[in-house]
Amino acid sequence: MLVTTLTRKRRPPLREDRPFPLSTMSLHEIPGWIKLHRRLWANPFMRKPSYLSVWLWLLTHASHIGQDGAKARRVVFNGQQIALSVGQLLCGSEQISRETGVPDSTVRRYLKHMENERQIERQSDNRSSLVTIVNWH
């Protein structure tokens, strides 16, 4: 009788010096955690699973290291390299749509609504948006 063992290929550990391109990382590789307040449910839009999915995606992908920190995330936006502040992220509606399963047109509508409700602030160029989550702390 021949016995074989199956081995799974292990992922390399997350290196601290690795650039942090979130779009190429799986969700379980993103370091850190977020805290949610129960007051989240006071917003009637949060009862829509797709809206909540987009909001949680923004929260979990926002930078949690300030721009003056040694490990601050640097990105190119509008042709200039910038360091992201705490609560900021660079993304596009297509990326959010792809990773949440929410249709692109719905993501754009939700982002506009979040901007109108002062949940986020957005600056856009022709490729992506620099999103700042208001009241990050």
Side-chain angles (χ1 to χ4, degrees):
M1 175 193 268
L2 180 62
V3 177
T4 60
T5 58
L6 298 175
T7 59
R8 285 194 306 180
K9 188 175 181 183
R10 293 185 179 245
R11 292 179 185 255
L14 183 64
R15 294 187 347 230
E16 292 299 321
D17 62 337
R18 176 181 176 179
F20 198 49
L22 289 175
S23 61
T24 61
M25 298 179 80
S26 66
L27 197 56
H28 70 274
E29 290 179 303
I30 299 172
W33 51 275
I34 62 168
K35 208 189 276 192
L36 293 176
H37 198 281
R38 288 183 177 96
R39 198 173 27 194
L40 171 86
W41 299 111
N43 183 338
F45 276 89
M46 293 300 175
R47 293 197 171 103
K48 293 182 176 184
S50 56
Y51 189 92
L52 182 60
S53 179
V54 171
W55 179 242
L56 290 177
W57 190 94
L58 291 172
L59 291 177
T60 56
H61 287 74
S63 178
H64 61 280
I65 299 171
Q67 61 187 181
D68 50 345
K71 296 180 183 177
R73 251 194 307 164
R74 302 190 83 60
V75 296
V76 176
F77 178 69
N78 217 6
Q80 297 179 354
Q81 187 177 39
I82 61 168
L84 294 178
S85 297
V86 172
Q88 285 187 322
L89 66 148
L90 190 67
C91 63
S93 60
E94 290 178 6
Q95 177 187 8
I96 298 171
S97 175
R98 188 174 52 254
E99 295 184 19
T100 61
V102 177
D104 186 45
S105 60
T106 305
V107 169
R108 279 186 263 130
R109 190 172 71 245
Y110 287 165
L111 290 174
K112 186 67 176 163
H113 181 266
M114 289 175 191
E115 200 172 6
N116 291 339
E117 291 292 314
R118 307 280 190 257
Q119 289 178 273
I120 64 171
E121 294 173 353
R122 260 192 323 174
Q123 297 173 345
S124 297
D125 65 6
N126 59 349
R127 298 181 67 204
S128 58
S129 293
L130 178 64
V131 177
T132 304
I133 296 174
V134 178
N135 293 331
W136 173 255
H137 295 286

